[in-house]
Amino acid sequence: MDIEQRFQRITDFIEARLTPLFDPANGKDHGFGMDDTSRALRALRYTVQAASAVKGLVEKRESSPELRPVVDQALEHNWDVLRSAARMWEDHEEFQKEFKAHSWDVVGV
C-alpha cells in the first residue's frame, strides 16, 4: 500500500466518525453554530482535512530529491496528526492496526 492510500484510509475512518456529528438530528446547529461544541467539531474536521492533503507532497517527494527531507518531515507531521485523531476511536470495530503505525513506518524514511 502506498503513502497516499494509507493517508486516505485513515482519513476515511476519521471522517466516518465525524460526519454523523454534523447530522441535524444531533443538535440545533448541527456543528455549524457558534457554540463551543460546534466550533470544536469544525476545528477537528478542518485539521483532518488539512493533514490529509498529501497528494502534492507525495509527488514532490519523488520528483524533487533535494526537497525530500522537508517533504518527509511534512508527511510525518501530517500522519501523526491523523494518527492522534484516529486513536480516539481505537476501540471502534473499524479501527485498523495500521492507524497506530508510527510516521517513520508510513513514510518510510
Side-chain angles (χ1 to χ4, degrees), residues 9 12 32 58 61 63 69 74 76-78 85 89 109:
R9 285 174 51 89
D12 290 347
F32 299 103
V58 173
R61 186 176 194 247
S63 66
E76 289 171 5
H77 170 75
N78 288 6
W89 291 280
V109 178

Side-chain angles (χ1 to χ4, degrees), residues 58-70:
V58 173
E59 292 168 3
K60 275 282 189 223
R61 186 176 194 247
E62 302 306 320
S63 66
S64 303
E66 69 278 5
L67 296 177
R68 187 169 179 151
V70 175

Side-chain angles (χ1 to χ4, degrees), residues 2-31:
D2 69 16
I3 295 171
E4 286 183 27
Q5 289 172 321
R6 292 187 81 170
F7 270 84
Q8 189 60 55
R9 285 174 51 89
I10 197 169
T11 300
D12 290 347
F13 173 79
I14 298 167
E15 283 288 342
R17 312 287 77 74
L18 293 178
T19 298
L21 301 176
F22 286 85
D23 187 313
N26 291 321
K28 66 178 180 153
D29 290 325
H30 327 297

Side-chain angles (χ1 to χ4, degrees), residues 61-96:
R61 186 176 194 247
E62 302 306 320
S63 66
S64 303
E66 69 278 5
L67 296 177
R68 187 169 179 151
V70 175
V71 171
D72 284 349
Q73 186 176 22
L75 289 169
E76 289 171 5
H77 170 75
N78 288 6
W79 178 262
D80 287 340
V81 168
L82 294 173
R83 179 178 73 145
S84 295
R87 289 195 70 175
M88 295 299 113
W89 291 280
E90 194 168 351
D91 61 341
H92 192 278
E93 64 185 17
E94 293 177 24
F95 185 87
Q96 301 293 312

